Amino acid sequence: MKKLRCDKPYDVDEARKKKGLPRRRRKDSRATQYELTIRIPEEYRAYFDGKRKLVRNVFALNKRDDLKTQTEAFEDEKNAELERKLEERGWVKQEESGREPGLCTTPLGDYIERYIAIRSNGSVSAGTIRNETSHAKYVSATIGSIPISEVTSEDIEECLLKVPELSEKWALERQRAWEENRKTAEWAKKHGTLAKPYKPIKVAGPDKQAKILKFLREVMNYALEKDDIAKNVAKAKFLTRVFKKSRPLIDPLMADEAARFLHETEALSLGFMKLSLLLLLLNTGMRPEEMLAVRAGNIIFGENETLIKITSVVSRDGKKIVDYPKSDASRRSIPVDEYTAQIAKLWIELKSQEMRELGFKPTMSMPLCSPGMKAWSYQNWLRNWQRFVAKAGFEGMRPYALRHTFATLNLANGENIKTVSVLMGHASSAYTLDLYAGYVPNTGLGIGTRYMNFLRRTA
C-alpha cells in the first residue's frame, strides 16, 4: 500500500494578509492557521468517495513541533482509514499473511470485477466497460479463482489458449437458447416463421486473445502501482510473441476496378446512396461509421475547394450520432473534387425540399447518408450496399475496401505518406506505413545516378 503524504503546509494567515483580509478567530491568538492537503492517488480515490484531495485546517504555535505533530496525525488517520478499507477488499498486512508486504490474496476474477467497477464511474466510456466485461468473462472462467499475487505467466497462457474453446461453447449455448425461444408462440407470431436459419457462429481467435492479454496487462499494472503484486507477469515476452494481434485485412480495388466502381456509382440517380459511395467512401477514405454521421453542417463549400469535417460517428446501436471516441487524429477535414461537391450540394437541396414537404424544418444537423431525418444504423445501410455491389458486379466486397483503395492508390500515385495518414485519420504516419508499405513506390531505384548527376550539375 502506498502511504498518503501531506503537501507542504499552506500558511492561511500569510495569504489573507497579502489580500488585506483579517485573521480568522482562534482560541489562542498566538497560533497560526495552516491548511494541510493530502493528494489521493487515482487508484485510491474510490475509497474516499472519488475525492482527489483531503483538506484540513489546523492552528499551530510553531512549525517544528506543533505543526509537525498535527501533520503526522492527519497522515496517520487517513492512512489507517485507507488500510481498513483495503483490508475489507482483500488486502492483508505482512504480519497477518506471512507474505511480502502488500501482496493481495483477492482472487483475480474478483479483483478484475472491482477494477472495472472503479473505472465505470465515468472515467472511461460505456463501450470500453462493455469490452472489459467481455474480457473478464474469459479470465473468470479459467483462472479467476487464483489469488492475483499468485498468478503466473503460464496461468495467463492457459487462459488465452482456452479463449476459442470457451467462445465456441458460449456461442452454441446462446444458439440453443434462441432455438428454444423460437418454439414459443410469441416468437412465431412476431416473425411469422420457425424455419429461418441462423448464421454460422463466430468463434473468437487471435484478435480476442491479444485484447484479453492487453487487458490483463492493464489490470496487473494497476495492481503493481498499488503494491498488491510484486511483478506484472502478463508482460512476459513469450506471451507477446505467441498472442499477437492479427494485421488488418487489406483488400483494395486495383486501379481499373476502382475506375469501374466509380463509373457504376456515377450512374446512380441522385440520393443518399450515391452520396455515401461517391463522396464519403471512394473519394475520402472515411470509415463507414464516420460516413453515416456526416451532416449538412459538416460540409464546407468553398470557391476553390470543398471540405468535409469529420467530428462524429454513429453510435454502436445506430440510434444517434455521438462525438468521436477513437482519437484526436480522427477529427479531421478532407478535401473533395468539384463533381463530388456539386453532387453533395444538389442532394442537400433535394433532401431539404423533401423534408419541408413532410412538414420538417431542414437544419445543419440533418444527416446526409440516410433517407430521413435520423441517422441510419450500419446494418440498415449495409443492406443497400449489398444490393448495389451485387448488381454492379462486385459481390462480396466490403465497404472498408473503398477506404483501403483510397490509401493504396494515393500512395501508388506518389502522394506523401504523412498527407495520406492525416486524411485517413491514423494516429501516426508510422501506422499508415506499416499497413500500406507494399503500396509505396520504390523511390530508391536510380538514386545513386540522380545524386551524382545533381552534384555534377551543381559544380
Side-chain angles (χ1 to χ4, degrees), residues 222-355:
Y222 172 79
L224 189 63
E225 290 173 358
K226 291 179 61 179
D227 295 329
D228 287 342
I229 58 175
K231 181 182 178 182
N232 187 343
V233 295
K235 288 188 174 180
K237 290 184 178 179
F238 80 91
L239 293 174
T240 304
R241 288 194 301 270
V242 175
F243 301 101
K244 291 182 179 179
K245 185 178 180 180
S246 63
R247 290 172 62 86
L249 173 64
I250 308 298
D251 53 351
L253 298 175
M254 295 297 101
D256 58 335
E257 294 175 320
R260 186 162 64 88
F261 190 95
L262 175 60
H263 176 73
E264 296 290 342
T265 302
E266 290 177 339
L268 290 172
S269 58
L270 183 63
F272 75 93
M273 200 63 193
K274 180 173 184 175
L275 183 71
S276 60
L277 294 175
L278 178 64
L279 170 66
L280 310 179
L281 289 179
L282 186 61
N283 199 311
T284 63
M286 286 189 199
R287 300 175 179 92
E289 61 270 25
E290 297 171 340
M291 171 269 295
L292 291 166
V294 170
R295 293 170 279 198
N298 293 117
I299 302 182
I300 303 172
F301 297 98
E303 294 182 4
N304 300 322
E305 195 171 46
T306 296
L307 296 173
I308 303 177
K309 294 181 66 177
I310 301 175
T311 58
S312 310
V313 292
V314 170
S315 61
R316 188 176 182 181
D317 57 7
K319 293 182 179 179
K320 59 182 179 179
I321 295 174
V322 297
D323 189 40
Y324 210 110
K326 197 171 182 67
S327 69
D328 289 338
S330 294
R331 295 182 176 91
R332 60 200 189 278
S333 296
I334 306 178
V336 297
D337 69 308
E338 291 182 13
Y339 172 78
T340 307
Q342 186 62 25
I343 293 296
K345 188 176 292 185
L346 291 174
W347 171 239
I348 291 174
E349 292 174 359
L350 178 60
K351 187 169 184 178
S352 298
Q353 181 60 34
E354 291 175 351
M355 293 298 103

